[in-house]
Amino acid sequence: MRRVLLATLLALALPALAHAGTPAPLSAGDVPALLKPPAHGVRILAIWALDCAYCEANMQALAKLQRAHPREVELVTVATDSIAQGAQIAARLKAMRMDGYPARAYAEASPERLDFLLDPNWGGETPRTEIIRADGSRQGISGELTAPQLQKLRP
Amino acid sequence: MRQLILTLLCLLSSAALAYDMPGMKMPRELALGASAAFDAHGRLWVVDAADGHVRLRHSDDLGKTLSPPVDVNAEAEPIYDEGENRPKIAFGSRGELYVSWSQPRAKPWTGFVRFARSPDGGAHFSAPITVHHDRAEITHRFDALAVDGHGRVVVAWIDKRDMEAAQAKGQPYLGAAVYYSWSDDAGKSFVPERKLMDNSCECCRIALARTPGGEVAAFFRGVYGDNIRDHAWALLPTDGKAPHRERATFDDWRIAACPHHGPGLAIAADGVRHAVWYEAKHGPAIWYGQLDPGHPPKHLLKLGGPGASHADVAVHGKTVWLAWNQVDANGYTLMLRVSADGGLHFDAARAIAHSSAAVGSPQLLTRQGRAIVAWNTADGFRLVPAEAP
């Protein structure tokens, strides 16, 4: 019986492993967990959009930072496009080699409410970088990060 | 063993999630990019997109009931219908109905501007045509549509051919460009496109409005100097003369980003250019002002800060209406301010509708001297009266 159960579960779970780069939906109820200060170091939300011409370079700069400090920096990509475009978002993340990071996409058909919940002082321009530190402090930066801004993010 | 089963169960829940996602297997939920307009007879027309078709519906009871949809494009194709993108609708003087939209191509950020015409008030549509003569697989999207005083159909869009050319030569080029074209034959064909301005924003809707002289004017976000995202004003000449554009906002918001937030424009019979726009130099802000191209706008008024977005403006005589979305944790409120003296003074901001579901950008329409806000929500299309106090 156990063996049958195990085989069934394995078969059902395999697609999840195959879709590692697929974004998970981000709804209003998920925002507090995403904004909760990490146990140590810093969580960085790399917020981007399919339409955004500046986002890829920004995400890759943040990925470089994360790779240099893998234990201190947790990087999550958040697409402001609707999860209805999940397949496109996943394809774009893969094309820019950002599919190795936890990925979220908005679970609403328009982005403004989630923008506001993530940071009320943000008007939706992308890229947007939200920095959440273990000490509870927060910082949000709109636009492609400059070299000095990236330097300041180093743990 | 138990632990293994538990782990697998965890994976299973995320697998179930993945298969729940629309766009994977499920039919895609409708995006909220819709446009509405009243024709000369007071009939409301609404265009949006579903399953690869721009669909047209009309209403004779102020939006309470909508007609069954007519497919504008018989053959399905990809359609941009989210955020700053939405299909557009305009009317000719002889019962023609014009529809434009942007079609995503295979590569990221690419698109073609598409157009279809109905000579018989929306009963039948011609096969869609691509407006621009340039067929490179690059950005031609964020279309805007208007009809001038002579009945010419004018289309403007964001175009990256100059950026691509500069990149190929290894030269810097900030932003994109705005191009436009027009049709002298009621939308059967379009003249080769003209450049309106280099260095526009890449991702913000273009506002078009007709001047009292019958010309079409554009108000759109540009890129000035080192990534300053202020707005430009230009008339779109249809006589072969070179367009003349001028900077029209001076907020100095410098940013290497896509604001996803284009402006609104309405021109009064006395020529006053009423405008609304977004900037975030000192935090998010939407503004009203009267454009004085080449100089900062007059009668500046800050409409909203955090959570305020996507304003629109309408004018009739001395009455000016401003509408925008105000978001908070509970959802969206449709806000309104009205001026009875041509925009010199406005009444206090009022909430005129609420939606807990997602909403599109509000669109202010006028009909027989009254304003009505078209508000597309995930719960359905709504018309909200914008009554003067």
Side-chain angles (χ1 to χ4, degrees):
Chain A
M1 179 61 205
R2 267 199 178 172
R3 205 169 282 179
V4 175
L5 182 64
L6 189 66
T8 311
L9 285 174
L10 251 178
L12 286 168
L14 275 173
L17 299 169
H19 287 104
T22 300
L26 178 70
S27 64
D30 304 326
V31 171
L34 201 57
L35 298 183
K36 194 180 165 210
H40 70 278
V42 61
R43 181 183 307 118
I44 297 177
L45 309 183
I47 306 177
W48 69 290
L50 288 169
D51 255 351
C52 168
Y54 303 86
C55 289
E56 186 169 332
N58 200 61
M59 288 163 96
Q60 280 168 347
L62 288 169
K64 199 174 158 192
L65 177 79
Q66 195 279 333
R67 284 195 301 271
H69 306 277
R71 267 175 292 188
E72 295 88 352
V73 177
E74 175 193 353
L75 181 62
V76 179
T77 71
V78 181
T80 61
D81 305 287
S82 164
I83 192 75
Q85 291 179 287
Q88 267 174 279
I89 293 164
R92 193 76 68 82
L93 285 169
K94 194 164 180 227
M96 58 171 113
R97 294 183 185 160
M98 287 298 299
D99 53 337
Y101 294 95
R104 311 297 292 263
Y106 280 16
E108 293 191 8
S110 58
E112 285 78 15
R113 185 159 80 116
L114 285 161
D115 292 351
F116 183 82
L117 291 173
L118 283 171
D119 188 340
N121 279 312
W122 168 44
E125 55 276 358
T126 52
R128 176 79 174 184
T129 307
E130 291 288 331
I131 300 126
I132 305 140
R133 295 190 176 86
D135 65 8
S137 65
R138 286 271 314 267
Q139 190 188 0
I141 306 170
S142 283
E144 197 176 335
L145 295 166
T146 59
Q149 283 172 327
L150 276 164
Q151 190 63 35
K152 278 190 204 156
L153 289 183
R154 292 189 178 280
Chain B
M1 182 67 191
R2 234 178 228 172
Q3 240 170 1
L4 181 58
I5 289 181
L6 206 63
T7 311
L8 286 169
L9 273 172
C10 284
L11 280 170
L12 182 56
S13 66
S14 66
L17 205 67
Y19 278 103
D20 266 340
M21 282 192 308
M24 303 279 296
K25 291 267 190 287
M26 309 275 288
R28 186 168 166 256
E29 73 184 78
L30 287 186
L32 295 172
S35 293
F38 286 106
D39 69 14
H41 309 290
R43 172 176 274 189
L44 176 79
W45 296 87
V46 182
V47 282
D48 63 0
D51 303 321
H53 297 275
V54 174
R55 56 178 194 172
L56 174 73
R57 291 173 292 172
H58 66 263
S59 170
D60 291 318
D61 57 9
L62 290 180
K64 283 188 199 78
T65 54
L66 291 169
S67 69
V70 170
D71 282 345
V72 171
N73 53 315
E75 207 170 303
E77 61 180 65
I79 295 160
Y80 279 113
D81 61 347
E82 275 156 308
E84 293 282 269
N85 277 295
R86 57 190 189 197
K88 314 292 186 315
I89 183 167
F91 310 103
S93 52
R94 295 190 185 86
E96 304 94 340
L97 221 146
Y98 305 125
V99 177
S100 70
W101 65 94
S102 294
Q103 175 200 66
R105 309 290 294 178
K107 283 196 282 179
W109 309 307
T110 60
F112 281 5
V113 175
R114 307 280 283 161
F115 177 89
R117 58 188 292 275
S118 167
D120 53 10
H124 305 89
F125 277 88
S126 63
I129 58 172
T130 295
V131 171
H132 35 93
H133 293 227
D134 176 52
R135 295 298 158 87
E137 296 279 327
I138 59 166
T139 288
H140 322 78
R141 54 198 192 117
F142 298 97
D143 57 291
L145 172 70
V147 176
D148 78 4
H150 300 284
R152 294 185 194 100
V153 188
V154 179
V155 183
W157 64 90
I158 293 173
D159 193 307
K160 282 195 179 165
R161 70 186 73 179
D162 301 286
M163 185 270 249
E164 302 274 351
Q167 254 182 9
K169 288 187 213 155
Q171 293 167 351
Y173 187 98
L174 281 178
V178 172
Y179 275 70
Y180 75 104
S181 178
W182 68 89
S183 171
D184 289 313
D185 54 9
K188 290 189 194 83
S189 65
F190 282 82
V191 303
E193 56 270 22
R194 268 80 163 157
K195 183 169 14 180
L196 186 61
M197 190 174 102
D198 273 309
N199 306 120
S200 72
C201 195
E202 302 93 329
C203 55
C204 291
R205 73 183 185 202
I206 298 164
L208 296 182
R210 205 195 283 185
T211 69
E215 297 163 289
V216 172
F219 182 49
F220 55 96
R221 193 185 294 280
V223 182
Y224 291 92
D226 179 19
N227 256 326
I228 291 170
R229 301 270 159 168
D230 265 311
H231 297 78
W233 156 275
L235 292 174
L236 277 49
T238 49
D239 56 4
K241 287 194 183 130
H244 175 66
R245 63 268 156 181
E246 287 177 284
R247 186 167 168 181
T249 66
F250 294 81
D251 299 310
D252 286 334
W253 181 33
R254 174 179 286 121
I255 193 152
C258 285
H260 308 289
H261 215 142
L265 175 70
I267 306 172
D270 59 8
V272 174
R273 307 164 185 110
H274 302 276
V276 284
W277 66 94
Y278 168 82
E279 60 88 22
K281 191 181 179 189
H282 304 291
I286 50 171
W287 294 90
Y288 162 81
Q290 298 180 4
L291 302 184
D292 181 15
H295 308 277
K298 294 172 175 166
H299 306 294
L300 272 176
L301 174 68
K302 187 177 173 181
L303 296 179
S309 69
H310 299 295
D312 197 17
V313 54
V315 60
H316 180 85
K318 286 286 176 195
T319 309
V320 184
W321 295 269
L322 309 173
W324 68 96
N325 287 337
Q326 178 68 49
V327 73
D328 64 20
N330 301 318
Y332 296 84
T333 304
L334 180 59
M335 303 298 297
L336 178 76
R337 290 187 79 162
V338 184
S339 166
D341 60 3
L344 301 182
H345 306 88
F346 282 86
D347 67 355
R350 279 180 293 146
I352 57 169
H354 184 79
S355 172
S356 52
V359 303
S361 304
Q363 212 190 334
L364 265 164
L365 315 175
T366 56
R367 182 180 185 266
Q368 295 166 355
R370 293 184 154 199
I372 300 165
V373 187
W375 211 37
N376 200 26
T377 79
D379 288 337
F381 178 81
R382 290 169 69 179
L383 273 192
V384 184
E387 294 299 332

